[in-house]
Amino acid sequence: MDAAPLPSSPTSALAVVRAVADLRATVRDWKRQGFSVGMVPTMGALHEGHLTLVREAARHADRVIASNFVNPTQFAAHEDLGKYPRQQEEDARLLAGAGCHLMFAPSVEEMYPDGFATSIAMTGPALGLEGDFRPQMFGGVALVVTKLFNQVQPDVAVFGEKDYQQLLVIRRFVRDLDLPIEIVGAPTQRDGWGLALSSRNAYLGETDLAAARQLNGILAQAAAEAASGRPLPGVEREAYAAILKAGFERVDYVAIRRADDLGVFRNDVVDAPARILTAAWLDKTRLIDNMAV
Ligand code: PAF
């Protein structure tokens, strides 16, 4: 079996599995013993945000699997697939410390063998916002997460609210495809300045980091104004300008949308649970963030 034991950690022993067949054998064995299984899909380069998801999964299930796979189908040709940070040994050490039982780290060939010919197209929550600027992304996410869910067959899976639109997309296809998996959303983890933890923060130099750390305050201010009943176009325009003033070079969007389906507010004021979402660029690094209004 292709499961290399890693150096033991104070809190748990972690197996690293690279083949789907070995993954299935382990899960089968766990299920035979009556264990429930939780899953945290990741692309590696793990930080405290991911570890919080692992701990959350452990609250819901007896055994926790984290996948570690930089998924090529969710990147467009011009995006950062090649330079996306990869550090699997360090990831395994972190996962062991967080109480994860197994890291599934397949190769691209294992996930997408020669002749792979299937894609998933989505509408609904996949349209607009990220869907406008990264048209490749949600089809690729739906494809890889569906594959991971079929490979692991977890009882529960945990995703961060940091990728809020992704969370809605995943909830949608899980319902649409009748996958018997509970999807749990976990709050965004932030650093001491309020910057949402992200693997892409590793790209930021000192000046860009200082700018990035203003994003949270700008969103919080806009959220408070929207909640007080101010018309949304003005609030969004001011937030857009404030993000540029903070030092970002480009803003893809700042939008206040319905929290349940990311639909627009027809009357331009918040009259139901809402979310403010943004994506903006510091040099070649694209950051996203969002919060409840
Ligand atoms: O959020 C991510 O890291 C990825 O989009 C996911 C869900 C692991 C799919 O590759």
Side-chain angles (χ1 to χ4, degrees):
M1 170 161 160
D2 184 17
L6 281 160
S8 65
S9 90
T11 40
S12 84
L14 180 92
V16 177
V17 172
R18 300 194 184 278
V20 175
D22 295 338
L23 173 72
R24 285 192 196 281
T26 302
V27 173
R28 228 181 358 253
D29 188 45
W30 287 346
K31 293 208 164 164
R32 239 191 327 256
Q33 296 177 63
F35 294 137
S36 56
V37 178
M39 166 154 218
V40 180
T42 85
M43 296 205 298
L46 302 183
H47 50 65
E48 186 52 35
H50 297 107
L51 303 183
T52 305
L53 305 183
V54 168
R55 291 185 204 104
E56 182 63 20
R59 290 191 337 102
H60 292 264
D62 304 314
R63 291 289 179 273
V64 178
I65 295 177
S67 59
N68 187 329
F69 179 66
V70 183
N71 172 38
T73 63
Q74 69 191 74
F75 289 78
H78 64 278
E79 292 181 336
D80 58 347
L81 173 65
K83 74 164 190 164
Y84 197 86
R86 289 162 169 89
Q87 45 160 61
Q88 284 196 355
E89 269 192 31
E90 172 66 1
D91 289 343
R93 199 186 59 73
L94 293 170
L95 288 172
C100 184
H101 299 89
L102 187 152
M103 179 171 93
F104 177 50
S107 64
V108 173
E109 296 69 35
E110 181 74 3
M111 290 297 273
Y112 299 113
D114 245 11
F116 192 92
T118 301
S119 59
I120 296 183
M122 283 192 69
T123 59
L127 298 180
L129 306 176
E130 288 302 291
D132 285 343
F133 289 89
R134 303 187 65 197
Q136 184 104 2
M137 162 135 166
F138 289 127
V141 168
L143 181 61
V144 79
V145 175
T146 302
K147 281 176 66 70
L148 290 166
F149 282 173
N150 284 332
Q151 291 159 351
V152 172
Q153 305 197 352
D155 301 286
V156 58
V158 184
F159 294 86
E161 286 182 352
K162 154 86 173 18
D163 296 285
Y164 189 80
Q165 189 173 5
Q166 171 175 278
L167 176 60
L168 295 193
V169 163
I170 289 166
R171 284 194 201 285
R172 184 73 254 169
F173 73 71
V174 163
R175 270 179 63 187
D176 290 352
L177 301 178
D178 303 307
L179 304 181
I181 300 166
E182 182 192 352
I183 302 300
V184 173
T188 303
Q189 300 298 303
R190 298 180 181 277
D191 73 6
W193 290 263
L195 173 63
L197 299 187
S198 162
S199 306
R200 290 188 168 98
N201 293 351
Y203 301 151
L204 301 173
E206 218 173 288
T207 312
D208 286 344
L209 190 59
R213 284 178 166 153
Q214 296 183 53
L215 196 55
N216 172 56
I218 294 168
L219 293 187
Q221 168 80 22
E225 288 179 20
S228 78
R230 264 195 67 190
L232 298 181
V235 176
E236 290 168 349
R237 255 195 319 273
E238 280 174 24
Y240 191 104
I243 294 170
L244 290 177
K245 188 154 175 261
F248 284 77
E249 277 116 53
R250 186 151 48 97
V251 180
D252 282 349
Y253 59 83
V254 189
I256 297 165
R257 295 290 181 86
R258 302 174 66 88
D260 60 347
D261 62 1
L262 297 181
V264 296
F265 286 100
R266 297 268 164 238
N267 299 324
D268 282 344
V269 288
V270 165
D271 55 15
R275 205 90 194 170
I276 179 164
L277 308 99
T278 191
W281 290 84
L282 283 162
D283 194 16
K284 293 186 174 55
T285 304
R286 185 175 186 272
L287 298 183
I288 59 170
D289 199 355
N290 72 86
M291 65 180 62
V293 169

